[in-house]
């Protein structure tokens, strides 16, 4: 008697303004979200590849100081990254 083990693959998960650690996309894999400078993780930041081939993931990256009328400007100086929030006048 032979047993066949089916291994689901969730594919790569893309998160705007962020990245997930590791490279595995197979069933049972857990990956953690890190957001780009000037962005914060909203949610628990953990993605789990389910046995049905989909990611269980409800997190995102949002701009720091969440506000609808903010823009972000990233710049670096001697390997240090800074965030500047500019208020749009309405």
């Amino acid at each position: 008697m032979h047993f066949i083990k089916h291994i689901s693959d969730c594919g790569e998960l893309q998160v705007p303004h962020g990245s997930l650690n590791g490279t595995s996309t197979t069933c049972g894999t857990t990956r953690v979200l890190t957001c780009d400078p000037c962005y914060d993780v909203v949610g628990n930041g953990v993605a789990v590849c389910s046995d049905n081939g989909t990611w269980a993931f409800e997190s995102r990256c949002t701009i720091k100081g969440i506000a609808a009328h903010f823009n972000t400007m990233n710049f670096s100086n001697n390997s240090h990254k800074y965030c500047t929030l500019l208020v749009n006048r309405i």
Side-chain angles (χ1 to χ4, degrees), residues 27-49:
C27 177
T29 297
T30 298
R31 295 174 66 182
V32 178
L33 174 64
T34 301
C35 294
D36 295 341
C38 299
Y39 290 83
D40 287 324
V41 175
V42 175
N44 69 6
V46 177
V48 178
C49 180

Side-chain angles (χ1 to χ4, degrees), residues 4 49 51 63 90:
I4 298 173
C49 180
D51 59 359
I63 193 165
I90 299 174

Side-chain angles (χ1 to χ4, degrees), residues 13-20 32-42 57 59-64 70-74 83:
L13 179 60
Q14 300 294 319
V15 180
H17 307 292
S19 60
L20 294 159
V32 178
L33 174 64
T34 301
C35 294
D36 295 341
C38 299
Y39 290 83
D40 287 324
V41 175
V42 175
F57 184 67
S59 299
R60 65 186 187 281
C61 294
T62 57
I63 193 165
K64 290 180 186 248
F70 279 108
N71 288 326
T72 183
M73 179 174 64
N74 297 316
C83 300

